[in-house]
Amino acid sequence: MKFSKLAGVFEKLEKVSSGNKMRGILAGFFKKVPGKEIAIAAYFTTGRIASQYEDIVINLAEKMVIKSIAEASGRPEKDVNEVYKDKGDIGLVAEKFCSNGGNLSLKDVFKSLRKIAEMSGKGSQGGKITALADLLKKASGIEARYVARLVLGTLRLGVGDMTVLDALSIAFTGSKEAKKDLEHAYNICPDIGEMAEIIAGRGVKGIKKINVRLGRPVRMMLAQRVKKIKAIKEKIPGKIDVEEKYDGERMQIHVDGKKIRIFSRRMDDITSQFPDVVEQVRKNIKSKKCVIEGECVAVDKKGNMLPFQKLMQRRRKYDVEEYVRKIPVCLYLFDLLYLKGESYIRKGLPDRHKALKSIVKDTRHLKFVKRIITEEIDELEDFFNKSVSRGGEGIIAKDYSEDSIYRAGTRGWLWIKWKQEYQKMADTFDLVVVGAYAGRGKRAGTYGALLCAVYNREKDEFDTFCKLGSGFTDKQLEELPKKLKKFKIKKKHARVNIKKSMKPDVYFTPSVVVEVLGAEITRSPSHSAGEDLALRFPRFRNYRPDKSPEQATTVKEVTQMFKKK
Ligand code: AMP
């Protein structure tokens, strides 16, 4: 298929402002893409050149792309730079300078971009620049526009994987009916390209056969929350597995012989950041083929747990070894999804725990989660208090019956979290930044407040929930514009719902997730979440780089919380 066809679709998508229209356009297009190329089309549409978990990135900075454009067009770099300064969009610059070619195919572009991504090591930058220049030479204006944006990761059509799933369902079954099957399978196979290929090739039948595979992450199971601790007993009437809730980063670890890979909650491959965890798993997990899950927490020399922010310093490309020494970690394992050729996600928690226990050798830096099994709420509360005094965040109560399966990608009642904050009549929310208001007075030059949204899972959209202006340190405030610059867009994003009265000065593509502490949920005509729900007295707590926008708090959750008030 010609790349110009896809470029034409991208151009159309940029102009629409309704999510439904977006789905329609995409569905019409997917129907026409040959089966062998549909994976590529799906990746490109979501702004990537591989599935998210594959860690295949192009790694070319703005300056390098400018050099490529200069090389391709034979114009001085200075000229290209000037236009870039003026337009501020690499796509438009590439379009202006490179328009002599045409006739690129989807496969050509894919192969070239993958080749550029594969070049690594000393001297690879020069090779990358030339390879991109060669590709741009063959592009027409509109092709160059989207190639350049793909390379820099600034495509930002705002088409998420869920929107692509909707479009695939419409394209290959004629309606949104297969969406449930697709979503369920996507939780186990979060690779939008592979999903597209399967539905296009084998239909819903093929989709239903998808199972856990070593090396491909499973979307993580999540916990619900309750307003009163006693409600846990109503939700889990039988045996409860009460586990400490650690304030760290969730890890899903795939052991396939010598190959050990760690995936984050966003399904990024974070293996290279945690060589110490890899070593612990290699030495102390007695299975060569398994998928295990746990929470990684920063600890001090004595083994005391440290806050999440400390662990975030381990998220780095450079000086990894130095930080392994500076900030040691402990991995608390609490689940098992696969063992020796067998998927465990449809087995009950007791079976999963038994299997996990049988392969974990406890050490200072790798342990089976601290937990009790009880039916008594008093014992649960006791355990909660102890856990908090040890530096834990609270507890996660898990249904300990045979039916307590691993519900991939789902926030359900089989797991319920209870945190320390809940007792203080406050609650934390993970919200997505979709806009900002210019600061005045002391805050001139930065933002005075951020417009934050919850995720509407049914519509795959974002609905605003609060205006967030407090809780930031001076430094955080000052850095806001820089931090958010990458995500700035000219008009409201098609998947964001904002009421007129809340119109911000700046809009963002939904990307950045912030943890916000709030006192109460009320009704407010200004916000679009649920039945006009809003968060009162929000306070910024943290950035949550480990969460994707689709993993933010949902409309459904806040509606439930509001009703239980
Ligand atoms: P939250 O991020 O507030 O929705 O809480 C859910 C998160 O708690 C999970 O994604 C894990 O990262 C973390 N967590 C900490 N301890 C546990 C545990 N014992 N079981 C499950 N999740 C845990």
Side-chain angles (χ1 to χ4, degrees):
M1 176 173 245
K2 286 187 177 164
F3 184 67
S4 59
K5 285 238 166 75
L6 182 64
V9 170
F10 286 174
E11 195 171 36
K12 260 198 214 159
L13 288 174
E14 271 173 21
K15 289 189 184 130
V16 301
S17 57
S18 122
N20 268 341
K21 268 199 194 132
M22 255 182 169
R23 289 177 188 82
I25 294 171
L26 273 173
F29 172 67
F30 285 146
K31 261 194 250 178
K32 291 185 219 139
V33 185
K36 283 202 170 133
E37 286 164 286
I38 197 159
I40 301 176
Y43 292 142
F44 280 176
T45 307
T46 50
R48 297 195 292 255
I49 58 162
S51 74
Q52 188 179 347
Y53 69 83
E54 277 175 300
D55 197 21
I56 297 177
V57 280
I58 294 181
N59 246 337
L60 265 179
E62 259 164 33
K63 273 191 200 146
M64 306 297 156
V65 180
I66 287 170
K67 276 187 200 294
S68 290
I69 296 173
E71 194 174 318
S73 60
R75 298 276 292 274
E77 211 179 304
K78 194 170 93 314
D79 292 5
V80 183
N81 232 330
E82 246 158 50
V83 177
Y84 182 54
K85 268 193 201 137
D86 175 42
K87 294 198 186 289
D89 170 3
I90 201 74
L92 298 180
V93 181
E95 183 169 10
K96 185 172 162 68
F97 286 95
C98 311
S99 57
N100 288 334
N103 238 354
L104 279 172
S105 74
L106 265 186
K107 272 192 194 150
D108 290 339
V109 178
F110 184 70
K111 271 193 200 148
S112 303
L113 295 185
R114 289 283 282 242
K115 213 171 96 193
I116 295 172
E118 274 160 26
M119 295 178 182
S120 66
K122 236 178 150 191
S124 64
Q125 289 292 328
K128 283 179 191 245
I129 293 167
T130 305
L132 178 60
D134 286 344
L135 181 63
L136 288 171
K137 271 184 211 159
K138 291 187 225 144
S140 66
I142 182 172
E143 288 173 338
R145 185 202 303 170
Y146 292 108
V147 165
R149 285 187 192 161
L150 271 169
V151 168
L152 259 198
T154 55
L155 186 64
R156 297 212 191 95
L157 296 171
V159 177
D161 284 9
M162 288 299 153
T163 306
V164 173
L165 284 187
D166 270 348
L168 288 172
S169 176
I170 300 168
F172 296 103
T173 69
S175 76
K176 275 199 200 169
E177 256 161 51
K179 169 93 187 292
K180 265 218 141 53
D181 289 324
L182 276 164
E183 250 184 49
H184 180 72
Y186 174 79
N187 285 333
I188 303 166
C189 165
D191 178 336
I192 202 67
E194 202 175 337
M195 290 289 294
E197 225 164 58
I198 296 175
I199 191 149
R202 286 181 276 145
V204 182
K205 240 191 194 159
I207 289 290
K208 284 185 176 163
K209 284 200 184 124
I210 287 173
N211 214 335
V212 183
R213 187 171 76 204
L214 277 183
R216 182 181 68 195
V218 172
R219 290 182 84 210
M220 296 178 189
M221 176 164 176
L222 301 169
Q224 272 283 11
R225 54 178 123 196
V226 281
K227 267 273 161 213
K228 295 198 184 84
I229 197 164
K230 293 212 162 38
I232 294 176
K233 190 77 200 137
E234 289 157 30
K235 297 287 180 189
I236 310 176
K239 277 189 192 159
I240 310 172
D241 161 61
V242 190
E243 298 180 3
E244 282 196 328
K245 183 177 194 306
Y246 306 98
D247 191 12
E249 171 156 28
R250 179 96 164 249
M251 286 184 174
Q252 189 179 90
I253 303 169
H254 289 235
V255 181
D256 188 4
K258 284 198 177 126
K259 194 153 178 51
I260 296 174
R261 293 177 76 180
I262 309 175
F263 295 106
S264 74
R265 196 164 149 169
R266 291 184 77 138
M267 284 165 306
D268 292 327
D269 187 329
I270 51 170
T271 315
S272 60
Q273 294 164 24
F274 294 95
D276 45 345
V277 176
V278 171
E279 204 42 36
Q280 282 293 324
V281 170
R282 194 186 310 283
K283 280 195 190 142
N284 302 307
I285 293 294
K286 294 176 276 175
S287 164
K288 292 288 166 233
K289 286 209 182 290
C290 63
V291 177
I292 50 180
E293 255 187 32
E295 187 87 353
C296 179
V297 199
V299 289
D300 64 14
K301 296 256 152 32
K302 288 186 192 144
N304 299 315
M305 291 190 273
L306 301 171
F308 175 73
Q309 283 312 309
K310 203 79 195 161
L311 182 74
M312 280 300 107
Q313 292 183 34
R314 289 285 306 266
R315 283 197 154 236
R316 54 177 54 248
K317 266 197 202 145
Y318 306 105
D319 308 325
V320 172
E321 287 299 339
E322 184 192 334
Y323 274 78
V324 164
R325 265 175 274 124
K326 255 192 188 165
I327 307 175
V329 298
C330 180
L331 176 68
Y332 286 93
L333 290 162
F334 53 73
D335 222 318
L336 176 140
L337 279 57
Y338 181 97
L339 185 65
K340 289 186 211 142
E342 198 183 349
S343 164
Y344 269 64
I345 57 172
R346 290 180 192 93
K347 292 183 192 278
L349 185 58
D351 282 346
R352 303 205 305 279
H353 266 186
K354 199 170 145 210
L356 177 61
K357 248 196 151 152
S358 75
I359 60 166
V360 176
K361 199 170 120 205
D362 266 23
T363 69
R364 259 176 80 100
H365 296 283
L366 177 132
K367 296 179 197 297
F368 185 81
V369 64
K370 240 192 164 64
R371 59 112 194 239
I372 55 162
I373 313 278
T374 182
E375 293 196 31
E376 306 303 325
I377 210 83
D378 292 346
E379 277 182 35
L380 179 148
E381 208 159 355
D382 237 24
F383 186 81
F384 166 79
N385 289 328
K386 274 193 203 130
S387 156
V388 170
S389 66
R390 255 174 46 87
E393 224 189 350
I395 52 159
I396 302 224
K398 301 182 180 175
D399 188 323
Y400 204 60
S401 68
E402 287 303 327
D403 304 329
S404 183
I405 58 166
Y406 186 94
R407 300 190 59 198
T410 311
R411 196 184 284 285
W413 292 109
L414 294 176
W415 290 12
I416 301 169
K417 56 187 171 185
W418 183 256
K419 293 200 220 175
Q420 199 185 7
E421 288 110 23
Y422 297 178
Q423 297 187 322
K424 298 184 203 148
M425 293 300 291
D427 211 339
T428 51
F429 301 81
D430 297 318
L431 305 179
V432 185
V433 181
V434 295
Y437 304 89
R440 293 199 196 103
K442 243 178 82 185
R443 292 193 181 177
T446 177
Y447 297 130
L450 303 180
L451 182 60
C452 296
V454 282
Y455 179 52
N456 186 329
R457 197 164 182 167
E458 280 66 45
K459 292 196 190 150
D460 190 24
E461 288 173 2
F462 298 89
D463 298 340
T464 73
F465 187 48
C466 72
K467 200 169 155 179
L468 175 67
S470 67
F472 298 98
T473 62
D474 287 347
K475 187 156 174 256
Q476 281 167 336
L477 265 180
E478 191 189 312
E479 286 171 351
L480 272 178
K482 201 171 134 209
K483 184 157 183 100
L484 292 163
K485 189 176 157 217
K486 248 174 62 186
F487 308 105
K488 225 163 147 177
I489 42 179
K490 288 218 171 73
K491 53 176 192 181
K492 186 190 78 65
H493 193 274
R495 286 166 68 215
V496 174
N497 299 310
I498 301 175
K499 294 221 174 141
K500 268 201 191 118
S501 61
M502 291 311 282
K503 192 174 176 301
D505 299 313
V506 184
Y507 295 102
F508 301 113
T509 302
S511 296
V512 174
V513 178
V514 287
E515 187 178 285
V516 176
L517 197 65
E520 195 190 353
I521 300 173
T522 53
R523 269 194 211 282
S524 148
S526 312
H527 289 284
S528 55
E531 287 162 23
D532 299 340
L533 297 180
L535 184 63
R536 289 186 71 194
F537 308 123
R539 285 182 68 77
F540 174 84
R541 281 257 306 240
N542 273 322
Y543 288 106
R544 295 299 306 236
D546 58 323
K547 292 190 178 174
S548 69
E550 285 83 6
Q551 288 167 345
T553 304
T554 60
V555 172
K556 201 166 154 191
E557 277 179 89
V558 297
T559 307
Q560 274 169 356
M561 290 164 81
F562 176 70
K563 285 190 179 147
K564 279 198 208 99
K565 215 171 51 164

